[in-house]
Amino acid sequence: MNIKPLGDRVVIKMIEVEEKTKSGIVLPSSAKEEPQMAEVVAIGPDIENDEKKSKQVKLGDKVIFSKYSGTEVKLDKEEYTIVKLNDILAVIE
Amino acid sequence: MNIKPLGDRVVIKMIEVEEKTKSGIVLPSSAKEEPQMAEVVAIGPDIENDEKKSKQVKLGDKVIFSKYSGTEVKLDKEEYTIVKLNDILAVIE
Amino acid sequence: MNIKPLGDRVVIKMIEVEEKTKSGIVLPSSAKEEPQMAEVVAIGPDIENDEKKSKQVKLGDKVIFSKYSGTEVKLDKEEYTIVKLNDILAVIE
Amino acid sequence: MNIKPLGDRVVIKMIEVEEKTKSGIVLPSSAKEEPQMAEVVAIGPDIENDEKKSKQVKLGDKVIFSKYSGTEVKLDKEEYTIVKLNDILAVIE
Amino acid sequence: MNIKPLGDRVVIKMIEVEEKTKSGIVLPSSAKEEPQMAEVVAIGPDIENDEKKSKQVKLGDKVIFSKYSGTEVKLDKEEYTIVKLNDILAVIE
Amino acid sequence: MNIKPLGDRVVIKMIEVEEKTKSGIVLPSSAKEEPQMAEVVAIGPDIENDEKKSKQVKLGDKVIFSKYSGTEVKLDKEEYTIVKLNDILAVIE
Amino acid sequence: MNIKPLGDRVVIKMIEVEEKTKSGIVLPSSAKEEPQMAEVVAIGPDIENDEKKSKQVKLGDKVIFSKYSGTEVKLDKEEYTIVKLNDILAVIE
């Protein structure tokens, strides 16, 4: 099963980051509030066909995106988020 | 009876997906919260007559659409949703 | 008495649809929540004089319109709704 | 005393319509909820000087206007409402 | 002390209108709710330098303005209101 | 320490105005509600480089600005407000 | 790890300012309400490639930014804020 975003949308997948609580317990990021880092897994045609926009994000990029933006979808037991390019704030290298 | 959407609207029909609850009971998707996958059953003239837009969605496509968008209508005991092209987030292949 | 909508407005009249409740009682649609199907009874000049818009709705068309849109008016004991062309979602044939 | 609306505004005056209640008592329209029919008593310069707009409403026209729009003013013990042309929905002939 | 409005703003001063209550007591308008008639006391440069706008309001004009619009200021114990030209609904002659 | 506003912003400083309460006590304006008069202490580049805008406000001008607009900042124990040119309503001479 | 803002965004880092409370205790700024001064640590491509915008903020500039704007992110145990250029109100020199 394959997901193709429309227009200037991007499909991203949250990155699980392990983190210790103050008491030393390791929590997977899904137990914390508002994880915001994600990996780009699909890019819409309006980005691919635009020279300036296509430079900004590439497949596999790690990105930070705007809180509360986007729509979450579940496909084949995987959770994805579909956001607009404009909701991606920065790329982490 | 036939439904013709106006402008850049699309008529879609929810896809029923069976899913097991944790206790093992099979629930049809209408008993769950916010099903979002649907099939395209009619396309408005402003999409059909636009080369770029008509590439994005075709009759029979399975699509994911924006939560809470669109208007639900009942025709001949069937439920449909009329959405704008812009409320369709992605096509599933 | 005659009603002439201004600009790109359309005057529509709700269509009464009989429908049985679960217990078998026939209810006229005025007793149900949010009937949305209507017939076009007058069309504004900005639609009539626009080739592209005038193709979309004609007098006598059965249309579905956006919930909560429009203004209801009573003339000669008849109830009408005045909506913008953009609030008409689809034509039923 | 004379009132001259600015821009594309129109001054209208509510029309009193007698109507019988179910028990047969005749009520002047001021005792009912939201009367919406009015007569045009003054037209702003941006309408008068625009060929297309000036065709739409004329002095003396009976019009239906958008609920809650406009500003009510009292002059020489008469109540008027000042609305934008766009808040006039239809003309009654 | 002199007040010069910026842009397309106008400085107006409420007009005190005497009015009798039902019991016959004369009340100055400051004791009533929402007086809306005022006199123009200063006009901004974007109105003065625009041929079409400068025709609409002149110093000394009595005007009706939009409820709740504008900002009240007190200068030398006098109360003024600064409004945009667009918030002036009509001129009274 | 020096503050340079960006774009079409202006830095202003509230003017302290002494005023007597009804009981005769003199209150500095900081103890009253919503003082609105201020002095211009810095002007952004988009105003300085625009012939029409630069005529409207100059360093040292006493201005009235829109209630609730702007952002207050504290620098070297002095309180300033940064507002957009459009939030300045009038100049007092 | 390196953060690259997209579009006309800027990455800033809050500046810790020591300040004494009334009782004489020194508080780091993180214990106070809404610190607003920050240092520019990264600049987006739409600013770098625009002659007029690139003059306004440079790496290392101390800036004041709009309250509540921006998105906070944590990278390598450092807290950053990503804001739009338009949310930067002034540069402090």
Side-chain angles (χ1 to χ4, degrees):
Chain A
M1 207 179 260
N2 193 20
I3 180 165
K4 273 177 49 184
L6 263 64
D8 64 346
R9 291 189 181 85
V10 174
V11 182
I12 57 182
K13 195 165 165 19
M14 299 309 297
I15 295 170
E16 298 285 328
V17 186
E18 281 193 14
E19 189 166 319
K20 288 186 196 180
T21 63
K22 284 180 180 171
S23 57
I25 299 168
V26 176
L27 286 174
S29 67
S30 62
K32 292 174 307 179
E33 206 180 77
E34 298 180 60
Q36 290 176 265
M37 207 183 300
E39 188 181 329
V40 174
V41 299
I43 291 173
D46 289 3
I47 299 169
E48 288 176 329
N49 300 329
D50 180 306
E51 188 188 0
K52 193 178 162 191
K53 288 182 182 171
S54 60
K55 272 188 196 167
Q56 298 196 49
V57 284
K58 292 185 298 294
L59 289 181
D61 273 359
K62 280 176 188 157
V63 298
I64 293 170
F65 64 102
S66 183
K67 288 183 204 175
Y68 311 119
S69 67
T71 300
E72 293 174 17
V73 297
K74 199 172 185 174
L75 275 182
D76 298 339
K77 305 192 184 216
E78 295 279 357
E79 297 263 9
Y80 298 97
T81 303
I82 304 174
V83 298
K84 296 216 160 197
L85 176 59
N86 198 34
D87 292 321
I88 299 184
L89 304 177
V91 174
I92 304 299
E93 296 178 331
Chain B
M1 207 179 258
N2 193 21
I3 180 166
K4 273 177 49 184
L6 263 64
D8 64 346
R9 291 189 181 86
V10 174
V11 182
I12 57 182
K13 194 164 165 22
M14 298 310 297
I15 295 170
E16 298 285 327
V17 186
E18 281 193 15
E19 190 166 318
K20 288 186 196 178
T21 62
K22 284 179 178 170
S23 57
I25 299 168
V26 176
L27 286 174
S29 68
S30 62
K32 293 175 305 179
E33 206 181 76
E34 298 180 60
Q36 291 176 264
M37 208 183 298
E39 189 182 329
V40 174
V41 299
I43 292 173
D46 289 2
I47 300 169
E48 287 177 329
N49 300 329
D50 179 307
E51 189 189 359
K52 193 178 164 192
K53 288 182 182 171
S54 59
K55 273 188 197 166
Q56 298 196 49
V57 285
K58 291 185 298 295
L59 289 180
D61 272 0
K62 281 178 188 156
V63 297
I64 293 170
F65 63 101
S66 182
K67 288 182 202 175
Y68 311 118
S69 68
T71 300
E72 294 173 16
V73 296
K74 200 172 185 174
L75 275 181
D76 298 339
K77 306 194 183 214
E78 296 278 357
E79 298 264 8
Y80 298 96
T81 303
I82 304 175
V83 298
K84 296 217 160 197
L85 175 60
N86 198 34
D87 292 321
I88 298 184
L89 305 176
V91 174
I92 305 299
E93 295 178 331
Chain C
M1 207 179 259
N2 193 22
I3 180 166
K4 275 177 48 185
L6 263 65
D8 64 347
R9 291 189 181 86
V10 173
V11 182
I12 57 182
K13 193 162 165 23
M14 298 310 296
I15 293 170
E16 299 284 327
V17 187
E18 281 193 15
E19 189 166 319
K20 288 186 196 178
T21 63
K22 284 180 180 170
S23 58
I25 300 170
V26 176
L27 286 175
S29 69
S30 61
K32 293 176 304 179
E33 206 182 77
E34 298 181 60
Q36 291 177 264
M37 207 183 298
E39 188 182 329
V40 174
V41 298
I43 292 173
D46 289 3
I47 300 169
E48 288 177 328
N49 299 329
D50 179 307
E51 190 188 0
K52 192 178 164 192
K53 289 182 182 170
S54 59
K55 272 188 198 165
Q56 298 196 49
V57 285
K58 290 186 299 296
L59 289 181
D61 273 359
K62 281 178 189 156
V63 297
I64 293 171
F65 63 100
S66 182
K67 288 182 202 175
Y68 311 118
S69 68
T71 300
E72 294 174 16
V73 296
K74 200 172 185 174
L75 275 182
D76 297 339
K77 308 197 181 211
E78 296 277 359
E79 298 264 8
Y80 299 96
T81 304
I82 304 175
V83 298
K84 297 216 162 198
L85 176 59
N86 198 34
D87 292 321
I88 298 184
L89 305 176
V91 173
I92 305 300
E93 295 179 330
Chain D
M1 207 179 259
N2 193 22
I3 180 166
K4 275 177 47 185
L6 263 64
D8 64 347
R9 291 188 182 87
V10 173
V11 182
I12 57 182
K13 192 162 165 22
M14 298 309 297
I15 294 170
E16 299 284 327
V17 186
E18 281 192 17
E19 189 166 318
K20 288 185 196 179
T21 63
K22 285 179 179 171
S23 58
I25 300 170
V26 176
L27 285 175
S29 69
S30 61
K32 294 176 303 178
E33 206 182 77
E34 298 181 61
Q36 292 176 262
M37 208 184 297
E39 188 182 330
V40 174
V41 298
I43 291 173
D46 289 3
I47 300 169
E48 287 177 329
N49 300 328
D50 180 306
E51 189 189 0
K52 193 178 163 191
K53 288 182 182 170
S54 59
K55 273 187 197 166
Q56 299 196 48
V57 285
K58 291 186 298 296
L59 289 182
D61 274 358
K62 280 176 190 159
V63 297
I64 293 170
F65 64 100
S66 182
K67 287 182 202 176
Y68 310 119
S69 67
T71 301
E72 293 174 18
V73 297
K74 200 172 185 176
L75 275 182
D76 297 340
K77 307 194 183 212
E78 296 278 359
E79 298 264 8
Y80 299 97
T81 304
I82 304 175
V83 299
K84 297 215 162 198
L85 176 59
N86 198 34
D87 292 320
I88 297 184
L89 305 177
V91 174
I92 306 299
E93 295 178 329
Chain E
M1 207 179 258
N2 192 22
I3 180 165
K4 275 177 48 187
L6 262 65
D8 64 347
R9 290 188 183 87
V10 173
V11 182
I12 56 182
K13 193 163 165 18
M14 298 309 297
I15 294 170
E16 299 284 328
V17 185
E18 281 192 15
E19 188 165 318
K20 287 185 197 181
T21 63
K22 285 180 178 171
S23 58
I25 300 168
V26 176
L27 286 175
S29 68
S30 60
K32 294 175 303 178
E33 207 180 78
E34 297 181 61
Q36 290 175 262
M37 207 184 298
E39 189 182 329
V40 174
V41 298
I43 292 172
D46 288 3
I47 300 170
E48 287 176 328
N49 300 328
D50 180 306
E51 188 188 0
K52 192 178 163 190
K53 289 182 182 171
S54 61
K55 273 187 197 165
Q56 299 196 48
V57 285
K58 291 186 298 295
L59 290 181
D61 273 357
K62 280 176 189 159
V63 297
I64 294 171
F65 64 102
S66 183
K67 288 182 204 178
Y68 312 119
S69 68
T71 300
E72 293 174 17
V73 297
K74 200 172 186 177
L75 276 182
D76 297 341
K77 309 196 181 209
E78 295 278 357
E79 297 265 7
Y80 298 96
T81 303
I82 304 175
V83 298
K84 296 216 163 198
L85 176 58
N86 198 34
D87 292 320
I88 298 184
L89 305 177
V91 173
I92 304 299
E93 294 178 331
Chain F
M1 207 178 259
N2 193 21
I3 180 165
K4 273 178 47 187
L6 263 64
D8 64 346
R9 290 189 182 87
V10 173
V11 182
I12 57 181
K13 193 163 168 16
M14 299 308 298
I15 295 171
E16 299 284 328
V17 185
E18 282 193 15
E19 188 166 319
K20 287 185 196 180
T21 63
K22 284 180 180 171
S23 58
I25 301 169
V26 176
L27 286 174
S29 68
S30 61
K32 294 176 303 176
E33 207 181 78
E34 297 182 61
Q36 290 176 264
M37 207 184 300
E39 189 182 330
V40 174
V41 299
I43 292 173
D46 288 2
I47 300 169
E48 287 177 329
N49 300 328
D50 180 306
E51 188 188 1
K52 192 177 162 191
K53 288 182 183 172
S54 61
K55 272 186 196 167
Q56 298 195 50
V57 284
K58 292 185 298 294
L59 290 180
D61 273 358
K62 280 176 189 157
V63 297
I64 293 171
F65 64 102
S66 183
K67 287 182 204 175
Y68 311 119
S69 69
T71 301
E72 294 174 17
V73 297
K74 200 173 185 175
L75 275 182
D76 297 340
K77 308 193 183 215
E78 296 278 357
E79 297 265 8
Y80 297 96
T81 303
I82 304 175
V83 297
K84 296 217 162 195
L85 176 58
N86 197 34
D87 292 320
I88 298 184
L89 304 177
V91 173
I92 305 299
E93 294 179 332
Chain G
M1 206 180 262
N2 193 20
I3 180 165
K4 273 178 47 186
L6 264 64
D8 64 346
R9 291 189 181 85
V10 173
V11 182
I12 56 180
K13 194 164 166 17
M14 299 309 297
I15 295 170
E16 299 284 329
V17 185
E18 281 193 16
E19 189 167 317
K20 287 186 196 179
T21 63
K22 283 180 180 170
S23 58
I25 300 168
V26 176
L27 285 175
S29 68
S30 61
K32 293 175 304 178
E33 205 180 79
E34 298 182 61
Q36 291 176 264
M37 207 183 298
E39 190 182 329
V40 174
V41 298
I43 292 173
D46 289 3
I47 300 169
E48 287 177 329
N49 299 328
D50 180 305
E51 187 188 2
K52 193 176 162 192
K53 288 182 183 172
S54 60
K55 271 186 195 168
Q56 298 195 50
V57 285
K58 292 185 299 293
L59 290 181
D61 272 359
K62 281 177 189 157
V63 297
I64 293 170
F65 64 102
S66 182
K67 287 183 204 175
Y68 311 118
S69 68
T71 300
E72 294 175 16
V73 297
K74 200 173 185 176
L75 275 182
D76 298 339
K77 307 192 183 215
E78 296 278 357
E79 298 263 9
Y80 298 96
T81 304
I82 304 175
V83 297
K84 296 216 160 196
L85 176 58
N86 197 34
D87 292 320
I88 299 184
L89 305 177
V91 173
I92 304 298
E93 295 178 331

